[in-house]
Structure formats: structure tokens, C-alpha cells
Amino acid sequence: MIKKCLFPVAGYGTRFLPATKAMPKEILPIVNKPLVQYGVEEASEAGIQDFGFVTGRGKRAIEDHFDISYELEHQIAGTGKEEHLKSIRTLINNHHFSFTRQNEMKGLGHAILTGRTLIGDNAFAVILADDFCVAEKNQDGVLAQMVKLYNQFRCSIVAIEEVPIDETHKYGVIAGEPMKDGLYRITDMVEKPPKDKAPSNLAIIGRYILTPDIFDILERTAPGKGGEIQITDALLEQAKSGCVLAYQFKGRRFDCGSIDGFVEATNYVYENVYRKNKK
Ligand code: UTP
């Protein structure tokens, strides 16, 4: 069973400056809900109740979002506005949230290692909230699909999607042996390769299931691309000594770490969720 999900949310979000100068990127709303809440809802739908956040300076708003706001609730009690807090209140009531800080931005691998105290010794999920994922109609969310695969294969799994070959420099890119439809056993992985060095156009997106031995591997992983401790380097070691799967998920992903992806996601949710619910 995957019981915990880690959210590394310590990054600076420089692509969204000046919006992210005093506000975490993960609190930017897609229509009327912060990005990070969509991530938590996706994990909750996958059966996870325990959430750990690796935060940093300037990220207090994330902690406040997952806490009760007594004053606000008192003010709107008994009015129609109470309805607007229902989704977050339900999450708060039924889940557990804990937080730790990454003091230095040494990369995603380092952020995940920092979350070790919140995770312990079991396999866990990781969501990068700026990759916003939507399921196909009446189908499981991306993390729920991955949890099902984990229950079958019991090894680390990364979510992948095909990207245009001239965009491989933005992603970790895999090479793998096909196992069955959309599932690969990873044989190689390169962080942000230029297109002529990319082993494929299958890019890792912000959904992972990791077995806990990843922490010991991360401890000894030297800084890689960009001087940061890269999760892809640790996963490659895991793949070489055991097995790591790459799963071409069903659904759609929006790169909300970029302005274009963020605007596309906003338009999508406005048309397909917000306006439909209003009718
Ligand atoms: P990004 O590469 O998107 O970096 O990190 P960023 O700082 O959030 O955004 P830009 O590029 O400056 O606009 C991928 C994920 O890893 C987390 C980020 O919060 C994001 O969810 N991360 C990255 C950390 O938590 N710590 C780090 O040291 C680096």
C-alpha cells in the first residue's frame, strides 16, 4: 500500500516572477483552486491520507492553506459562501499534513532526501504540483493508475509522456525495454539532454512512486546536471541494480511551471470544470 505522498515545494518558481516573489508558485490558482490542492486531491483519490511537504523560505502560505482558518470560517458561517471552503475543509478533516524545510536549494533529489523524516521506511508517492494532471473521463487519476501498478510490480515507477524531440532539454528522458502497452523497464535515463543526446522522446513528468532504498542512494548521489542532486541519477542507479518502471499514463498533463502551460490549464478547467459545474 502507498500511504504517503511527498510534495517537494521548495523551488523558487523563477519562471513566474514577479508573481512568485512573495507567494509560492504552488498557491497560484487554476481558476479558483491552488495548484497544490489539485495535487493533494489527486493523491487522496489514489487512497493516500498522509501528505508531507518539503518547503522553503517564503512558503508559509502552503501550510496556512492546509490549516483551518477560524476567523474566516466564523465570518462566513451560515452564509452561502461557506460552500466555497467545502473542498479544502473536507481535505483538512480527512487527511494528515506535515512539513519540513529544505534549507538550501540543492535540487529535486535533495528535496526528496530532505523529506525522508516525513516518510520513514515505506514506498511513497511524489507529486510535483506544478505538473497539473487531469484524468480521462470517468477514469482513474494518474497517481491512482501508478499505485495500481506499484501493487503489481513493487518497484519504483516514474510517469512519462511523449514530448516533441526539441523539448527534451526540459526533462529527464528515459530509454527502456517495452514490457506491455505503455509500460517500460528503464535501461537508461538522462537529465535534460539536448535533442541529439536524448535516448528517446519519453520524458519524465512530476509523478513518481519510489521505494525507500532511494534515500540511501540519494545520500551518496553526487551533484549532477546544473550542480543539483538529481532524482534521475539516483533512479538510474536503482534501475541498474534492480528495476524501475516508466509508465505512459492515461490522461493529460499541463506544465504549470511555465506560463503557456498554466494558461492552457486555466482555460481547460474554466471550460471543462468550472462552467459545467455552474450550469
Ligand atoms: P523546477 O525545476 O520546476 O524549479 O523544480 P522551480 O524553482 O520550482 O521553478 P523555476 O524553474 O525556477 O521556475 C521542480 C520541482 O522540484 C521542486 C520545485 O519546488 C518543483 O516542484 N524543487 C526543486 C525543490 O523542492 N527543491 C529544489 O532544490 C529544487
Side-chain angles (χ1 to χ4, degrees):
M1 274 290 284
I2 301 294
K3 292 194 168 146
K4 294 187 179 180
C5 183
L6 194 66
F7 287 80
V9 291
Y12 292 125
T14 52
R15 284 168 290 170
F16 269 92
L17 284 169
T20 47
K21 181 167 176 275
M23 180 178 78
K25 167 169 79 173
E26 297 76 11
I27 291 292
L28 289 171
I30 301 293
V31 185
N32 59 353
K33 200 189 282 183
L35 264 175
V36 67
Q37 189 179 329
Y38 288 100
V40 167
E41 287 174 355
E42 183 186 326
S44 170
E45 186 226 80
I48 296 173
Q49 288 178 322
D50 231 309
F51 303 108
F53 293 79
V54 179
T55 71
R57 283 175 292 279
K59 299 279 181 170
R60 263 285 302 278
I62 298 174
E63 290 181 51
D64 289 342
H65 187 71
F66 293 106
D67 194 1
I68 295 165
S69 174
Y70 286 104
E71 234 180 87
L72 176 65
E73 293 199 12
H74 179 72
Q75 280 292 329
I76 64 175
T79 75
K81 290 177 184 166
E82 261 183 327
E83 181 66 20
H84 300 312
L85 281 181
K86 211 171 134 196
S87 67
I88 183 64
R89 195 59 211 247
T90 306
L91 280 181
I92 293 170
N93 288 349
N94 297 303
H95 301 81
H96 183 251
F97 299 87
S98 32
F99 301 85
T100 191
R101 274 198 180 207
Q102 185 188 17
N103 297 323
E104 288 177 279
M105 297 308 110
K106 292 192 200 162
L108 177 58
H110 181 258
I112 291 173
L113 182 57
T114 305
R116 185 178 201 165
T117 49
L118 304 178
I119 295 296
D121 209 20
N122 291 301
F124 61 103
V126 175
I127 286 186
L128 305 186
D130 48 1
D131 268 340
F132 168 61
C133 292
V134 289
E136 288 176 351
K137 203 165 179 240
N138 301 325
Q139 298 298 315
D140 283 342
V142 177
L143 202 62
Q145 295 167 40
M146 294 172 74
V147 166
K148 279 188 184 157
L149 276 177
Y150 173 77
N151 290 339
Q152 197 181 342
F153 292 98
R154 304 265 152 190
C155 62
S156 290
I157 306 169
V158 300
I160 51 166
E161 75 173 2
E162 284 189 39
V163 296
I165 194 74
D166 50 7
E167 286 188 17
T168 54
H169 65 280
K170 298 182 188 166
Y171 300 93
V173 177
I174 69 130
E177 293 162 0
M179 289 173 61
K180 59 177 186 179
D181 227 16
L183 193 64
Y184 299 81
R185 188 189 170 115
I186 291 179
T187 52
D188 197 10
M189 229 182 292
V190 188
E191 185 60 29
K192 299 192 172 73
K195 65 176 174 190
D196 53 321
K197 299 254 164 56
S200 73
N201 68 338
L202 296 172
I204 301 173
I205 64 127
R207 299 289 182 277
Y208 305 77
I209 287 184
L210 301 174
T211 52
D213 53 314
I214 199 77
F215 291 126
D216 284 344
I217 300 175
L218 280 168
E219 293 263 17
R220 53 177 191 267
T221 300
K225 188 99 178 178
E228 296 189 332
I229 296 177
Q230 301 289 355
I231 188 65
T232 39
D233 291 340
L235 279 166
L236 184 58
E237 187 177 328
Q238 221 181 25
K240 283 183 172 160
S241 59
C243 179
V244 177
L245 300 179
Y247 169 59
Q248 217 166 344
F249 64 93
K250 295 186 175 62
R252 185 164 171 195
R253 176 197 69 116
F254 297 89
D255 173 13
C256 291
S258 76
I259 306 271
D260 290 339
F262 184 83
V263 173
E264 276 169 36
T266 302
N267 290 336
Y268 179 90
V269 172
Y270 180 69
E271 289 300 334
N272 295 285
V273 183
Y274 184 77
R275 282 183 59 162
K276 278 193 182 151
N277 289 344
K278 255 186 125 179
K279 276 178 195 158

